[in-house]
Amino acid sequence: MRAHMGAVVAAGIDYLRARGDIPETALLVPAPTRASSARARGGDPVTALCESAASRLPGWRTLQALATSESSADQSELTAGERADNMRAAVLLRPCAQQLTGQSVVLVDDVVTTGATLRASAARVRAVGGDVAGAIVLADA
Protein backbone atom coordinates (compact mmCIF):
# COMPACT_ATOMS: atom_id res chain seq x y z
CA MET A 1 0.00 0.00 0.00
CA ARG A 2 2.77 2.47 0.91
CA ALA A 3 4.48 1.88 -2.44
CA HIS A 4 1.21 2.57 -4.27
CA MET A 5 0.70 5.78 -2.30
CA GLY A 6 4.29 6.75 -3.11
CA ALA A 7 3.37 6.48 -6.79
CA VAL A 8 0.42 8.81 -6.17
CA VAL A 9 2.70 11.36 -4.47
CA ALA A 10 5.21 11.09 -7.33
CA ALA A 11 2.41 11.72 -9.85
CA GLY A 12 1.30 14.76 -7.85
CA ILE A 13 4.84 16.10 -7.87
CA ASP A 14 5.14 15.51 -11.63
CA TYR A 15 1.91 17.47 -12.12
CA LEU A 16 3.10 20.37 -9.94
CA ARG A 17 6.49 20.43 -11.71
CA ALA A 18 4.80 20.47 -15.13
CA ARG A 19 2.72 23.48 -14.03
CA GLY A 20 5.86 25.23 -12.78
CA ASP A 21 4.50 25.35 -9.22
CA ILE A 22 7.51 23.61 -7.66
CA PRO A 23 11.14 23.22 -8.73
CA GLU A 24 12.39 20.32 -10.85
CA THR A 25 14.13 18.80 -7.83
CA ALA A 26 13.66 19.18 -4.10
CA LEU A 27 13.88 17.32 -0.84
CA LEU A 28 10.81 15.47 0.35
CA VAL A 29 10.41 16.09 4.08
CA PRO A 30 7.82 13.90 5.78
CA ALA A 31 5.65 15.51 8.42
CA PRO A 32 6.88 14.50 11.84
CA THR A 33 5.43 11.71 13.90
CA ARG A 34 6.07 10.49 17.41
CA ALA A 35 8.55 7.59 17.57
CA SER A 36 6.03 5.62 19.62
CA SER A 37 3.35 6.11 16.95
CA ALA A 38 5.72 4.96 14.21
CA ARG A 39 6.61 1.84 16.21
CA ALA A 40 2.92 1.06 16.73
CA ARG A 41 2.32 1.32 12.97
CA GLY A 42 5.29 -0.81 11.97
CA GLY A 43 7.22 2.24 10.79
CA ASP A 44 6.46 5.77 9.71
CA PRO A 45 4.01 5.53 6.79
CA VAL A 46 4.64 9.08 5.56
CA THR A 47 8.39 8.52 5.41
CA ALA A 48 7.80 5.24 3.57
CA LEU A 49 5.61 6.89 0.94
CA CYS A 50 8.14 9.73 0.56
CA GLU A 51 10.91 7.20 -0.05
CA SER A 52 8.71 5.40 -2.56
CA ALA A 53 7.94 8.68 -4.35
CA ALA A 54 11.59 9.79 -4.37
CA SER A 55 12.62 6.50 -5.96
CA ARG A 56 10.42 7.45 -8.93
CA LEU A 57 11.68 11.04 -9.21
CA PRO A 58 15.23 11.51 -10.52
CA GLY A 59 17.18 13.96 -8.38
CA TRP A 60 14.71 13.82 -5.47
CA ARG A 61 15.40 12.32 -2.07
CA THR A 62 13.75 12.06 1.31
CA LEU A 63 15.17 13.73 4.40
CA GLN A 64 13.53 12.82 7.69
CA ALA A 65 14.49 16.18 9.23
CA LEU A 66 11.55 16.63 11.61
CA ALA A 67 10.39 14.83 14.72
CA THR A 68 7.57 15.23 17.19
CA SER A 69 8.16 15.49 20.90
CA GLU A 70 6.92 12.40 22.72
CA SER A 71 5.38 14.71 25.33
CA SER A 72 3.11 16.49 22.84
CA ALA A 73 -0.63 16.04 23.15
CA ASP A 74 -2.61 13.78 20.82
CA GLN A 75 -3.91 16.13 18.10
CA SER A 76 -7.21 14.25 17.67
CA GLU A 77 -8.49 15.51 21.01
CA LEU A 78 -7.63 19.20 20.48
CA THR A 79 -9.40 22.23 19.03
CA ALA A 80 -7.83 24.08 16.09
CA GLY A 81 -6.23 26.68 18.38
CA GLU A 82 -4.95 24.02 20.75
CA ARG A 83 -3.49 22.07 17.80
CA ALA A 84 -1.56 25.14 16.64
CA ASP A 85 -0.17 25.77 20.12
CA ASN A 86 0.67 22.08 20.56
CA MET A 87 2.53 21.77 17.26
CA ARG A 88 4.49 25.02 17.63
CA ALA A 89 6.20 23.40 20.62
CA ALA A 90 6.10 19.78 19.45
CA VAL A 91 7.82 19.88 16.05
CA LEU A 92 11.55 19.38 16.51
CA LEU A 93 14.52 19.44 14.17
CA ARG A 94 16.64 16.29 13.87
CA PRO A 95 20.43 16.73 13.54
CA CYS A 96 20.22 16.06 9.77
CA ALA A 97 18.05 19.21 9.39
CA GLN A 98 21.21 21.19 8.70
CA GLN A 99 21.05 19.63 5.21
CA LEU A 100 17.91 21.73 4.53
CA THR A 101 19.91 24.97 4.37
CA GLY A 102 19.63 26.44 0.88
CA GLN A 103 17.46 23.56 -0.35
CA SER A 104 13.99 23.52 -1.88
CA VAL A 105 11.67 21.41 0.23
CA VAL A 106 8.28 19.81 -0.34
CA LEU A 107 6.57 18.81 2.89
CA VAL A 108 4.46 15.65 2.82
CA ASP A 109 1.72 14.62 5.23
CA ASP A 110 -0.98 11.98 5.14
CA VAL A 111 -3.84 14.07 6.54
CA VAL A 112 -4.38 17.78 7.02
CA THR A 113 -7.09 18.88 9.43
CA THR A 114 -6.25 22.40 10.59
CA GLY A 115 -2.81 22.75 8.98
CA ALA A 116 -1.08 23.10 12.36
CA THR A 117 1.49 20.39 11.68
CA LEU A 118 2.33 21.76 8.23
CA ARG A 119 2.64 25.34 9.53
CA ALA A 120 4.92 24.28 12.39
CA SER A 121 6.96 22.07 10.04
CA ALA A 122 7.37 24.87 7.51
CA ALA A 123 8.48 27.24 10.26
CA ARG A 124 11.17 24.78 11.39
CA VAL A 125 12.41 24.24 7.82
CA ARG A 126 12.62 27.99 7.22
CA ALA A 127 14.39 28.50 10.56
CA VAL A 128 17.37 26.48 9.29
CA GLY A 129 17.39 28.17 5.88
CA GLY A 130 15.30 25.75 3.84
CA ASP A 131 12.90 27.02 1.18
CA VAL A 132 9.45 25.45 1.47
CA ALA A 133 8.37 25.16 -2.15
CA GLY A 134 5.10 23.46 -1.30
CA ALA A 135 3.30 20.68 0.52
CA ILE A 136 1.45 17.57 -0.54
CA VAL A 137 -1.16 15.85 1.59
CA LEU A 138 -3.19 12.76 0.83
CA ALA A 139 -6.40 13.70 2.61
CA ASP A 140 -8.17 16.80 3.91
CA ALA A 141 -10.11 15.86 7.02
Side-chain angles (χ1 to χ4, degrees), residues 10 12 17-18 23 28 47 49 54 70 86 91 94-95 98 113 126 134:
R17 287 190 316 184
L28 292 176
T47 296
L49 74 91
E70 285 295 321
N86 184 48
V91 175
R94 295 176 184 265
Q98 65 186 0
T113 304
R126 290 183 186 114

Side-chain angles (χ1 to χ4, degrees), residues 22-122:
I22 60 173
E24 284 299 309
T25 60
L27 293 172
L28 292 176
V29 175
T33 191
R34 282 192 211 93
S36 59
S37 296
R39 281 191 302 275
R41 294 180 183 130
D44 180 352
V46 177
T47 296
L49 74 91
C50 285
E51 289 169 350
S52 177
S55 73
R56 293 168 166 78
L57 298 163
W60 289 67
R61 67 185 176 94
T62 299
L63 185 64
Q64 198 173 2
L66 304 171
T68 302
S69 168
E70 285 295 321
S71 63
S72 62
D74 181 348
Q75 293 283 90
S76 66
E77 303 298 321
L78 304 177
T79 67
E82 290 169 336
R83 285 175 184 231
D85 290 342
N86 184 48
M87 292 315 291
R88 266 193 293 276
V91 175
L92 308 171
L93 293 169
R94 295 176 184 265
C96 68
Q98 65 186 0
Q99 296 176 46
L100 297 171
T101 303
Q103 299 294 315
S104 292
V105 170
V106 173
L107 298 170
V108 181
D109 203 352
D110 53 354
V111 178
V112 64
T113 304
T114 64
T117 302
L118 286 174
R119 280 192 304 277
S121 297

